[in-house]
Amino acid sequence: MNLCPPQLWLLPWLGLPTLAPSAKRDTPGERVILILTKLYDYNLGSITESSLWRSTDYGTTYEKLNDKVGLKTILSYLYVCPTNKRKIMLLTDPEVESSLLISSDEGATYQKYRLNFYIHSLLFHPKQEDWILAYSQDQKLFSSVEFGRRWLLLHEGVTPNRFYWFTTVGRICTQDLKCIVFVLFLSDAQYITCKMQNCSEATRSKPFPGYIDHNSLIVQGDYVFVQHRAPPSNLPLFFPQDMHVISTDENQVFAAVQEWNQNDTYNLYISDTRGVYFTLALENVKSSQGLEGNVMIDLYEVAGIKGMFLANKKIDNQVKTFITYNKGRDWSLLQAPHTDLRGNPIHCLLPYCSLHLHLKVSDNPYTSGNIASRDTAPSIIVASGNIGTELSDNDISMFVTSDAGNTWRQIFEEEHSVLYLDQGGVLVAMKHTSLPIRHLWLSFDEGRSWSKYSFTSLPLFVDGVLGEPGEETLIMTVFGHFSHRSEWQLVKVDYKSIFDRRCEEEDYRPWQLHSQGEACIMGAKRIYRKRKSEKKCMQGKYAGAMTSEPCVCTEADFDCDYGYERHSNGQCLPAFWYNPSSLSKDCSLGQSYLNSTGYRKVVSNNCTDGVRERYTAKPQQCPGKPPQGLRILTADGRLTAQQGHNVTFLVQLEEVGSVDFGDGIAVSYANLSSTEDGIKHIYQNVGIFRVTVLVENSLGSDSAVLYLHVTCPLEHVHLSLPFVTTKNKEINATAVLWPSQVGTLTYVWWFGNNTEPLITLEGSITFTFSVEGMNTITVQVSAGNTILQDTKTIAVYEKFQSLRLSFSPNLDDYNPDIPEWRRDISRVVKRALVEATGISSKHILVAVLPGLPTSAELFILPYQDATGEKKRTAANLEQISETLIQKLNQNLVHFELKPGVRILVHAAHLTAAPLVDLTPSHSGSAMLMLLSVVFVGLAVFIIYKFKSFATGNLLTLPSPSLPCDEREGNNFRLFLSPSCST
C-alpha cells in the first residue's frame, strides 16, 4: 500500500465579519487548514481509504472528520469556492458511489447529495459563488446555481477542458442578458454559446461560422480564440499548426505559435490592443512535453514587474536564456555572477558565456518549480540553472537576483525548493532530495547570506510545503513521512519569534528598477522600497512602488508595427509580403483609417512627449475606390442545404448591394454586412443554385458567386434489372429512388467480384456479363452525407428457356403489387413447383411480374449432373420444360394463400432463349411496369410482413384501391414517411 499525496487547503480566518482582518491575521489559531489523505492499494489498483482532517489553529492541532462525512465514504477530491472560502465541496470516489458533500462553514459540517452522473472536473464561476459547471466522465456538461445541490444538463458531447464561463460584456452578451451566466463550449467541432439557465436548442448560438479545430477553443480575459478547421483562402501563407495563449493582460495577446517548419520550438507573437494584428517578438523558444502530453513553453513572466519575461531560445542547437523588460521589444542574455559560492572568480564573458535558467513552473502547489518570483517581492527571482555556453541538465546550481535580473548570485550548488515568507523578507530553502532531511535554510537579506535551522527532531521525507496565501506571516507547514510505511506527518514552522518588532519607515531604503543602468523601463521610472539588509524586522503588508514617473518617449519605447520588420540600422521597414496601402482598401469613401508610420508604442508603456507624435499612426481619409474583396459563404461553412430549411448566408463587405439566390428570388440591402445574423433564405426545390451577390458604388462594382447544392433526404434505393439474361448480351440496370428528386447524386456500381467500381452521375447503366452463373450487382447512391445501397442477383446463361405462368384470378384480390410481396410469392411458387415435379430448385427460377393480372416468369436453367458436366443442349431444357408443363396442366401445382384460399398455377406458353429478350420483349415491358409502380410499392412495403411460409400461409393484405392512410377493417394503420416535393 502507498499513501497518496494529500490535498491541503488553507482557508480564511474564522473571525466574525465585523472584526478587522488585520487584528486577527497575525494571531495563530485564526486560520483553517483542511487536509484530505488517501490510501492506495497497489494490489487492488484503487483507493481503499480516505481521511479528512481539519485544523482551526493553523496546523497546531487537527481533528479527524471521517464520522462527519461518513465512516465508509471514500473521498476523491476537495474543492474550495474561490469567491467564498467558507464553502467547501468534497467528491466521493466514482468507483464506489457518485455523490458530493457540501459545507458552508469552512468544513465543520457537511450535507451529502447523490448524483446521477460521475463528475470528472468542476469549474467555479469567477464572480458568483454558487454557480458551477461540472464535466462528467461521459462528456456531458452540467450546471448548478445552488452550489451543487441540483444540476441541469446543458449539452452532450462536449470536448474535455474546452468549456468556460464568459463574463465579458460585448457583442455576444449585454448587461440586459446578464452575460455572466454565459457558457462557452465545443460540440461536434462547433463553437457554441448559451445562457446557463436556458441552454435549449432555440437559445444556443454559433458566433463563429463553420467548423473549428475541436481542441482549439480558449477563453482568456476579454478574448475568445478558435482555430478554423480549414483556413479561409484569403489568409496569408502563414498558418499555425499549434498555438498557446501566454497572456491577455491589458488588452494585448502574447501568444506562442508553432509554425509548419518547427518541431520543438515556438515563436512568440504579440498583438495590438485589439488582439487582431500580431508581430514577432522572439523566434525559436524551446518547448517540451509534460507528463500528460501537454506542451510547456520555456517562457516565464516575472511576477510584480509588467513587461518582464525570461525565455529559453534555441540557437544553432544550443538553448540560451534571454530576458526582456519591455514585453519582447528587446531581448538580452543574462550576465553570469562574477564569483561562485566560495568567492572564487567566474570568467564568463558575454555573449560567449552567460547564465542559463530552467523555467519550468511546478504543477504541484506544494512544491516549487525551477523558478519562482512573487508580486509582493518584485525584485527577487530564484531559479535553478547553470553557467556556460548553453542550458544544461548537468551541474545545476541555484541562483538569486535581488535587482530584477541585472545581477545574479549563486546560493546553492544543488537544487532546492524556495518559499517566500513575509513579502520576500524571508526566503526558506529546502534541499531537493529523495533522502529524509531535518534542516532547512533561511535568508533575511534577499539571498545574500543563509543560516541553517532544524525544523524536526527526526529526519523527514518531505513531500511538500504549504505557505500562507499572501505571504504576510512567517508560518509554513511541512508535510511528509518518517518512513514509507508511516502515516503522514505535518510540521508547523512559525518563525515569528525570530523578530521582536515590526518594520518602521527608517528600516527601508529606496530602490529603482532598471535594466543595466537604464532607469526608464516601459516608459517610466519606478522606485520601490526595500528593507535594509542589516535590519531584522517583520515587514507585514506589501505597499507596492513608492513612486512612478513617466519618461520622455524615445525610439526604444516603440516596436515595429504589423507588417514591418526591424532592419540592421534599427529602422522599421515594410516586410516583403506587406503592402502598407492595404489598410486603406478596407475602408469606404468618407471614412478614415490610421495610416501607420511603421511603429507602435509598446502596450503599457507610459512614456510621454518626445518622439511619440512622430511615431504615432496618423488618421487619413479613405481614398475613393470601387468595391473589392467581396466574399459570400454559408454560416456553417457547408455548400449543401436541405430543402425547406433555412440557409444563412454571410456577406463580407460593407456596401450597398443585392443577393440573387438563384431560384428566382433576389433581395437588395443598403449595407450587406449590417445583417449580423446573416441573410436567411429557404429553398423550396432541390437542385444546384447559383447564389450571386453584387455590390456597387459610383467607382465600380464587385461580385461573388456561391454554388449551393439543395438536397432532400434520400430514404430508399431499389435496383431494377432482369432476373435472367443471356451471356454476352447487353442489359440495363436502373436505380429507382424514393423520393425521386433528392438533388445531386453520385452512383457507384459494383459488378460481380470486380474490385474496382464504376462511378456515374446517371441512375441507369448498360453492361454485359461474360461468365455464366449467378452474378451480383450492387449500386451505392450518395446524396449529401447519406449513402444507401441495394444489391440484386442475376442469372447469366448461354442457353435457357422461359415459361409464362398465370394464376387463379382470386390471387389478384390479394396482390398489393409491391416488390416484397412479389419476392415472397416467387419463393412460394418455386417451392410448389419443386414439390410437384421433384426437379431440383437449382434448375428453376420464378419471378412474379409487376402489374395485374398477376403473372410470373418461370426460367428453366442449365443444370449440372453428378459428374460435374454442364448439359446445355436444347433437349435437356425441353425435357424439364415438358415435365413442368405436364404438372401445370394437370393442376398439380398450387399453394394456399390463407386458410380457405387456394391458388392454382397454370402454364401460359413456353419460349426458348434467346426468346427471353428483356429488351424489348415481354420482360422489357415488365420492367416498365415495375418502374411505374415501384413508388407505391416502396410506400406500402414498410407494413408488409411475410413470416409464415413454412405452412404455406400468407398474410392477407388489403386491396390497394382502399384508402392508404387508415384501413380499420384490416386491423392496421399505414403511416407513410414524408416525401420531398420536386
Side-chain angles (χ1 to χ4, degrees):
M1 293 189 183
N2 184 47
L3 291 169
C4 301
Q7 278 186 263
L8 290 88
W9 284 97
L10 194 62
L11 304 181
W13 58 292
L14 280 175
L16 295 175
T18 54
L19 297 178
S22 58
K24 292 293 182 181
R25 281 187 177 273
D26 299 328
T27 303
E30 299 300 331
R31 291 278 183 171
V32 173
I33 297 178
L34 285 176
I35 300 177
L36 174 61
T37 61
K38 292 172 282 187
L39 184 65
Y40 184 83
D41 191 320
Y42 281 106
N43 295 324
L44 298 177
S46 61
I47 304 294
T48 57
E49 295 180 21
S50 68
S51 296
L52 183 64
W53 306 82
R54 184 172 185 263
S55 171
T56 58
D57 52 13
Y58 199 67
T60 302
T61 60
Y62 285 89
E63 176 190 6
K64 193 173 182 179
L65 303 182
N66 283 27
D67 57 335
K68 295 185 179 181
V69 299
L71 294 175
K72 296 183 179 181
T73 301
I74 299 179
L75 303 175
S76 64
Y77 211 83
L78 184 155
Y79 289 93
V80 178
C81 176
T83 53
N84 184 353
K85 297 295 195 299
R86 296 183 63 85
K87 293 188 175 183
I88 313 297
M89 182 177 292
L90 297 169
L91 299 184
T92 60
D93 189 341
E95 295 185 2
V96 179
E97 63 174 317
S98 181
S99 302
L100 55 82
L101 294 96
I102 297 174
S103 171
S104 298
D105 52 10
E106 293 185 302
T109 60
Y110 293 88
Q111 288 181 310
K112 193 172 186 178
Y113 296 87
R114 296 279 184 180
L115 299 174
N116 59 1
F117 63 97
Y118 293 97
I119 294 179
H120 180 269
S121 60
L122 295 178
L123 182 64
F124 290 84
H125 194 278
K127 299 178 182 178
Q128 297 288 340
E129 61 185 57
D130 290 335
W131 294 3
I132 310 173
L133 294 180
Y135 187 72
S136 69
Q137 294 183 357
D138 55 354
Q139 298 184 329
K140 295 178 181 178
L141 189 64
F142 296 83
S143 66
S144 174
V145 294
E146 301 177 40
F147 201 71
R149 292 173 175 85
R150 286 193 295 180
W151 295 92
L152 173 68
L153 175 64
L154 289 179
H155 209 283
E156 298 183 6
V158 179
T159 303
N161 303 318
R162 287 297 178 266
F163 49 90
Y164 304 85
W165 292 106
F166 192 80
T167 59
T168 302
V169 178
R171 179 178 177 184
I172 66 172
C173 59
T174 64
Q175 291 285 11
D176 296 336
L177 295 177
K178 297 181 179 180
C179 64
I180 53 177
V181 305
F182 270 72
V183 181
L184 305 184
F185 53 85
L186 279 176
S187 176
D188 298 330
Q190 291 182 338
Y191 159 43
I192 299 176
T193 68
C194 73
K195 290 186 66 173
M196 181 186 67
Q197 292 168 308
N198 184 11
C199 198
S200 64
E201 191 70 36
T203 60
R204 297 171 192 160
S205 62
K206 302 174 185 177
F208 187 81
Y211 295 92
I212 68 173
D213 183 273
H214 75 282
N215 206 32
S216 70
L217 178 63
I218 300 173
V219 178
Q220 189 165 331
D222 295 341
Y223 292 93
V224 178
F225 302 90
V226 291
Q227 182 169 315
H228 203 280
R229 184 173 295 175
S233 58
N234 65 333
L235 284 182
L237 292 178
F238 159 75
F239 192 76
Q241 60 177 347
D242 192 23
M243 185 181 82
H244 296 268
V245 178
I246 305 299
S247 170
T248 58
D249 292 341
E250 296 163 321
N251 293 326
Q252 187 179 37
V253 181
F254 207 3
V257 175
Q258 187 172 60
E259 301 181 34
W260 64 271
N261 59 338
Q262 294 178 301
N263 292 321
D264 59 349
T265 60
Y266 282 70
N267 292 343
L268 296 182
Y269 284 86
I270 194 164
S271 77
D272 58 358
T273 53
R274 296 181 301 163
V276 175
Y277 294 103
F278 287 76
T279 56
L280 183 65
L282 186 65
E283 290 184 293
N284 296 322
V285 178
K286 182 179 177 292
S287 67
S288 58
Q289 291 282 340
L291 295 177
E292 298 181 357
N294 55 311
V295 176
M296 296 183 293
I297 313 295
D298 268 22
L299 178 72
Y300 181 77
E301 183 174 7
V302 178
I305 302 178
K306 291 291 184 182
M308 184 175 175
F309 290 85
L310 291 161
N312 284 329
K313 178 179 179 179
K314 194 172 184 179
I315 306 175
D316 297 331
N317 292 322
Q318 289 185 327
V319 178
K320 300 176 183 289
T321 302
F322 288 79
I323 190 171
T324 180
Y325 293 88
N326 52 15
K327 261 194 175 180
R329 197 276 191 196
D330 301 293
W331 296 85
S332 59
L333 293 167
L334 296 179
Q335 176 65 60
H338 297 297
T339 60
D340 63 12
L341 194 59
R342 297 173 181 81
N344 300 318
I346 299 175
H347 302 286
C348 186
L349 182 65
L350 292 174
Y352 311 104
C353 174
S354 59
L355 174 63
H356 309 287
L357 303 177
H358 293 278
L359 305 179
K360 291 184 177 62
V361 180
S362 175
D363 293 331
N364 187 343
Y366 314 122
T367 60
S368 65
N370 299 115
I371 186 169
S373 62
R374 295 292 183 271
D375 288 325
T376 54
S379 63
I380 304 175
I381 308 171
V382 183
S384 61
N386 63 281
I387 299 171
T389 58
E390 63 176 324
L391 182 66
S392 172
D393 291 328
N394 302 319
D395 300 325
I396 297 178
S397 300
M398 296 296 297
F399 299 89
V400 66
T401 176
S402 56
D403 57 4
N406 287 278
T407 60
W408 293 81
R409 298 184 297 276
Q410 184 182 14
I411 53 177
F412 298 107
E413 291 181 331
E414 295 177 291
E415 284 193 273
H416 284 64
S417 295
V418 178
L419 190 70
Y420 288 65
L421 297 178
D422 192 30
Q423 315 303 340
V426 179
L427 298 179
V428 182
M430 194 171 295
K431 185 178 180 181
H432 275 185
T433 177
S434 58
L435 300 176
I437 59 174
R438 49 185 300 194
H439 297 97
L440 48 76
W441 299 83
L442 291 182
S443 175
F444 300 93
D445 53 7
E446 299 178 337
R448 292 179 179 85
S449 61
W450 296 83
S451 302
K452 188 176 183 180
Y453 287 82
S454 175
F455 69 94
T456 176
S457 58
L458 296 175
L460 182 72
F461 290 94
V462 176
D463 294 292
V465 181
L466 175 67
E468 183 180 3
E471 300 137 2
E472 295 179 9
T473 71
L474 290 164
I475 300 174
M476 56 181 286
T477 301
V478 182
F479 63 91
H481 47 278
F482 292 126
S483 69
H484 293 293
R485 296 182 178 274
S486 68
E487 294 185 349
W488 290 109
Q489 304 294 326
L490 286 93
V491 180
K492 176 183 176 182
V493 184
D494 189 349
Y495 291 103
K496 182 182 289 188
S497 59
I498 295 177
F499 302 104
D500 55 3
R501 65 183 181 88
R502 283 186 172 271
C503 294
E504 299 178 356
E505 194 62 37
E506 60 267 19
D507 295 316
Y508 294 93
R509 62 178 176 86
W511 173 78
Q512 185 172 35
L513 175 65
H514 66 94
S515 170
Q516 301 302 322
E518 173 56 51
C520 287
I521 303 295
M522 296 291 286
K525 295 179 181 179
R526 284 173 288 192
I527 298 177
Y528 298 81
R529 69 173 191 170
K530 282 176 172 281
R531 191 183 66 183
K532 297 176 182 178
S533 59
E534 67 274 12
K535 300 294 184 178
K536 202 170 185 180
C537 55
M538 187 168 57
Q539 295 193 94
K541 192 173 181 64
Y542 173 67
M546 293 173 58
T547 62
S548 179
E549 177 185 346
C551 298
V552 175
C553 291
T554 66
E555 191 273 341
D557 296 307
F558 290 82
D559 203 353
C560 291
D561 202 356
Y562 172 78
Y564 291 81
E565 295 176 345
R566 193 176 301 279
H567 286 237
S568 56
N569 60 1
Q571 289 185 312
C572 293
L573 300 176
F576 74 93
W577 50 268
Y578 183 68
N579 181 8
S581 63
S582 61
L583 287 178
S584 65
K585 298 177 181 179
D586 295 333
C587 63
S588 303
L589 184 64
Q591 297 178 342
S592 62
Y593 72 100
L594 290 177
N595 188 15
S596 176
T597 62
Y599 298 84
R600 70 180 182 198
K601 193 167 77 167
V602 175
V603 176
S604 303
N605 189 295
N606 296 315
C607 73
T608 59
D609 302 326
V611 299
R612 185 179 65 172
E613 186 66 25
R614 186 198 316 168
Y615 287 138
T616 301
K618 307 297 188 296
Q620 188 168 326
Q621 288 295 316
C622 295
K625 65 183 189 306
Q628 188 177 0
L630 178 64
R631 294 182 64 230
I632 181 171
L633 64 158
T634 58
D636 59 6
R638 298 179 179 178
L639 295 177
T640 62
Q642 282 196 19
Q643 176 190 6
H645 289 246
N646 254 323
V647 183
T648 302
F649 296 97
L650 302 179
V651 180
Q652 299 177 351
L653 193 66
E654 295 184 2
E655 294 283 352
V656 176
S658 62
V659 179
D660 186 340
F661 297 104
D663 59 351
I665 300 176
V667 182
S668 296
Y669 295 89
N671 188 336
L672 289 172
S673 292
S674 64
T675 55
E676 294 183 357
D677 296 332
I679 301 169
K680 300 184 184 300
H681 185 66
I682 297 177
Y683 286 87
Q684 302 298 337
N685 301 309
V686 299
I688 303 176
F689 296 91
R690 187 178 190 266
V691 185
T692 306
V693 58
L694 173 68
V695 296
E696 54 187 349
N697 59 23
S698 59
L699 298 177
S701 63
D702 193 12
S703 63
V705 176
L706 180 147
Y707 294 94
L708 185 69
H709 293 240
V710 178
T711 62
C712 176
L714 181 62
E715 299 178 15
H716 187 74
V717 173
H718 173 76
L719 180 58
S720 171
L721 73 162
F723 304 103
V724 184
T725 186
T726 306
K727 176 182 176 182
N728 295 325
K729 183 175 182 61
E730 193 174 77
I731 63 169
N732 180 270
T734 301
V736 183
L737 310 179
W738 177 260
S740 59
Q741 297 293 329
V742 295
T744 308
L745 301 172
T746 302
Y747 299 85
V748 183
W749 306 85
W750 304 80
F751 302 100
N753 295 324
N754 291 350
T755 58
E756 294 295 332
L758 178 63
I759 301 175
T760 68
L761 298 178
E762 298 294 333
S764 296
I765 192 171
T766 302
F767 57 94
T768 60
F769 283 105
S770 59
V771 179
E772 288 190 320
M774 303 304 292
N775 291 270
T776 60
I777 302 177
T778 298
V779 63
Q780 290 183 331
V781 183
S782 175
N785 295 327
T786 303
I787 298 179
L788 299 181
Q789 80 172 33
D790 190 20
T791 300
K792 291 293 188 297
T793 301
I794 183 172
V796 180
Y797 292 100
E798 187 172 352
K799 295 180 180 180
F800 60 87
Q801 288 190 341
S802 67
L803 177 64
R804 179 64 66 90
L805 302 178
S806 60
F807 303 92
S808 302
N810 57 347
L811 179 60
D812 294 344
D813 297 333
Y814 303 95
N815 183 355
D817 204 11
I818 60 174
E820 188 174 78
W821 186 86
R822 289 193 292 270
R823 286 195 299 270
D824 291 342
I825 294 297
S826 297
R827 287 193 291 268
V828 173
V829 173
K830 181 178 178 179
R831 186 168 66 245
L833 287 168
V834 171
E835 292 174 353
T837 62
I839 299 173
S840 172
S841 61
K842 297 179 181 179
H843 307 325
I844 58 176
L845 177 66
V846 177
V848 177
L849 303 177
L852 295 172
T854 309
S855 63
E857 195 82 26
L858 170 61
F859 297 95
I860 305 163
L861 307 178
Y863 68 96
Q864 190 174 21
D865 59 14
T867 62
E869 297 180 356
K870 287 185 179 178
K871 297 186 178 181
R872 310 170 185 271
T873 64
N876 299 131
L877 300 178
E878 289 178 358
Q879 182 180 355
I880 299 176
S881 301
E882 291 175 358
T883 303
L884 289 168
I885 293 173
Q886 182 182 2
K887 297 296 183 181
L888 290 166
N889 290 336
Q890 295 175 358
N891 293 331
L892 296 179
V893 181
H894 54 81
F895 61 91
E896 194 170 274
L897 184 66
K898 58 180 290 186
V901 180
R902 185 183 185 193
I903 306 298
L904 294 176
V905 184
H906 308 285
H909 58 267
L910 178 68
T911 61
L915 178 64
V916 184
D917 185 358
L918 300 183
T919 58
S921 73
H922 60 275
S923 293
S925 61
M927 288 300 104
L928 294 177
M929 294 177 62
L930 171 63
L931 292 176
S932 66
V933 300
V934 68
F935 299 114
V936 177
L938 287 172
V940 179
F941 91 96
I942 60 174
I943 51 85
Y944 172 69
K945 300 297 178 184
F946 193 0
K947 300 297 183 183
S948 56
F949 289 132
T951 61
N953 295 326
L954 296 178
L955 173 68
T956 303
L957 291 179
S959 170
S961 62
L962 292 178
C964 62
D965 56 346
E966 187 175 71
R967 297 168 188 168
E968 297 179 354
N970 294 280
N971 299 318
F972 77 93
R973 191 180 295 247
L974 173 63
F975 299 95
L976 296 179
S977 58
S979 62
C980 299
S981 61
T982 59

